[in-house]
Amino acid sequence: MTFAMKPLSCDPSRIRGMSERLIVSHYENNYGGAVKRLNLITEKFAELDPENAPGFLINGLKREELIAMNSMILHELFFDGLGEQSGPVAGVREALVHDFGSYERWRAEFIAMGKALGGGSGWVLLSWSPRDRKLVNQWASDHCHSLAGGTPILALDMYEHSYHIDFGAKAATYVDTFMDAIRWDNVGRLYTAAAGAAGGAIGA
């Protein structure tokens, strides 16, 4: 299977507080690089004889495949979540209040997690946990370490490539800018699909 880049789902000229140059570079170089890397890894693994290849080679390729695949998927979620300034749609706001005590509490926690990753690397994800039938904020490093069985519905990329062109070392300013550029209708769609399928969506 050959993986292809998904068309950029946001308008890079209309993301408030982020330059078109930043968004396009992130999309083409980092997301595009993950897709290309995944295809190369897939080709290399297809050439292997799994019965006779050394274990370290199989493990190494499969580790890199997971990193590249998750990078591709999380970058798509990141770009899908960017849009014009808005607020949480009704169902999502109700779920955030139900699962975090208040929308403000969820927002403060999500922001704090992003700023804690400033100068490092990783992702902050808002994910649906089918096990506990609730939304959770989760930390994810190396494009991996995601919640087992969980479905991410909002992704904040905290790798330096996601903000350095515009913000330099000011990762905290980037986090604040991201929070004001969330495309909440996309978050709502993903929440309904994930939680609604399990009968867990608030108001369903």
Side-chain angles (χ1 to χ4, degrees):
M1 176 182 179
T2 300
F3 296 91
M5 291 177 67
K6 178 181 175 181
L8 187 57
S9 53
C10 63
D11 183 344
S13 68
R14 300 189 65 177
I15 307 303
R16 183 177 179 182
M18 299 184 194
S19 69
E20 183 172 356
R21 178 174 172 242
L22 171 65
I23 299 297
V24 172
S25 174
H26 193 176
Y27 171 78
E28 292 180 348
N29 297 312
N30 304 105
Y31 167 59
V35 175
K36 291 176 184 176
R37 188 165 68 253
L38 179 58
N39 282 324
L40 286 173
I41 294 166
T42 302
E43 290 175 12
K44 290 295 183 183
F45 198 82
E47 296 169 359
L48 283 184
D49 174 1
E51 292 185 2
N52 297 303
F56 73 86
L57 187 57
I58 293 174
N59 285 341
L61 282 172
K62 278 298 181 180
R63 177 184 181 277
E64 293 302 316
E65 179 187 58
L66 177 62
I67 291 172
M69 187 174 292
N70 275 2
S71 178
M72 176 182 70
I73 292 168
L74 290 177
H75 273 103
E76 290 172 355
L77 180 60
F78 171 79
F79 291 118
D80 286 350
L82 289 177
E84 297 182 35
Q85 189 171 15
S86 62
V89 294
V92 174
R93 179 178 282 275
E94 291 170 7
L96 292 173
V97 171
H98 181 271
D99 295 335
F100 290 87
S102 69
Y103 164 72
E104 291 74 19
R105 169 67 195 194
W106 166 78
R107 180 182 169 90
E109 183 179 301
F110 196 90
I111 289 173
M113 291 172 67
K115 292 180 178 180
L117 278 170
S121 59
W123 295 83
V124 183
L125 306 175
L126 174 62
S127 298
W128 168 255
S129 170
R131 178 187 183 278
D132 297 317
R133 300 167 69 86
K134 63 183 291 188
L135 290 170
V136 297
N137 286 331
Q138 64 147 119
W139 169 94
S141 176
D142 208 16
H143 310 295
C144 296
H145 304 107
S146 58
L147 179 69
T151 301
I153 63 173
L154 177 66
L156 168 58
D157 188 347
M158 286 307 300
Y159 284 82
E160 194 174 68
H161 65 242
S162 64
Y163 59 85
H164 191 266
I165 288 176
D166 283 1
F167 301 94
K170 297 178 180 177
T173 303
Y174 158 71
V175 173
D176 292 334
T177 302
F178 171 86
M179 297 303 293
D180 288 334
I182 295 172
R183 186 189 299 171
W184 281 104
D185 59 347
N186 185 72
V187 179
R189 177 181 62 81
L190 294 176
Y191 168 70
T192 298
I202 298 297

